Structures are given as C-alpha cells and as structure tokens.
Amino acid sequence: AETLRSSFEATASGSPERWTIRLAPRPREMARVLREVRLAGGRLLESIEVEETNGNINTIRMRQFSVADKLSPEELEYFKAP
C-alpha cells in the first residue's frame, strides 16, 4: 500500500455498489506518459482504464468471470511480503 501511495495520488468516489478509484501518477517521469488509471466496479472490479498523456485510452473490462470462496495456499503465497 505504501508503494502505491508513493507512486499515485488516489481519489475514490461513488458507493460500495458503484465505485471508481482514480490513480494519478506522482513521479514526474511517469506523469509524462500516464495521465490517469481508473478502476471501477461494484461488488467486484469491472473495468480498468489507462489514459495516456497523448489521449490514448486502453480499457480492460472484466466479464463472465467467477470468484472462488477462498484463495488456495499457492495463491496466498503471492501476498506474502518479500
């Protein structure tokens, strides 16, 4: 979380049912090419939009996916601190 905060200024809006998080890059080097990252969803993440300073917008939409009740031991390993 600290690394994310040091790299991006986060702004949240909406409600738990329909929310958006906007991430604006803090480092000047990153801000030269990246204007903003927008995460949006409801109960789950539904879309990721990456807006570049040249006006290009790349959108990833999550559809027709399933969510497991819990993570496997192997998946939990990804979340351990290095």
Side-chain angles (χ1 to χ4, degrees):
E2 274 311 307
T3 302
L4 183 64
R5 286 187 190 113
S6 68
S7 297
F8 292 95
E9 179 178 336
T11 307
S13 61
S15 68
E17 294 80 27
R18 182 64 37 211
W19 51 266
T20 301
I21 298 172
R22 295 176 177 273
L23 301 172
R26 290 185 190 275
R28 247 184 300 195
E29 303 82 29
M30 192 184 308
R32 277 187 233 148
V33 294
L34 178 64
R35 180 168 291 137
E36 180 175 78
V37 176
R38 290 181 292 276
L39 310 171
R43 191 172 73 83
L44 303 169
L45 176 65
E46 296 173 8
S47 68
I48 302 169
E49 287 187 347
V50 178
E51 184 175 349
E52 300 172 13
T53 54
N54 65 7
N56 287 343
I57 298 176
N58 295 297
T59 303
I60 302 168
R61 298 198 194 286
M62 285 30 137
R63 298 181 187 207
Q64 298 180 348
F65 57 88
S66 62
V67 178
D69 291 331
K70 64 180 187 174
L71 296 175
S72 70
E74 294 82 20
E75 292 166 328
L76 286 171
E77 286 295 317
Y78 289 116
F79 293 98
K80 288 190 176 178

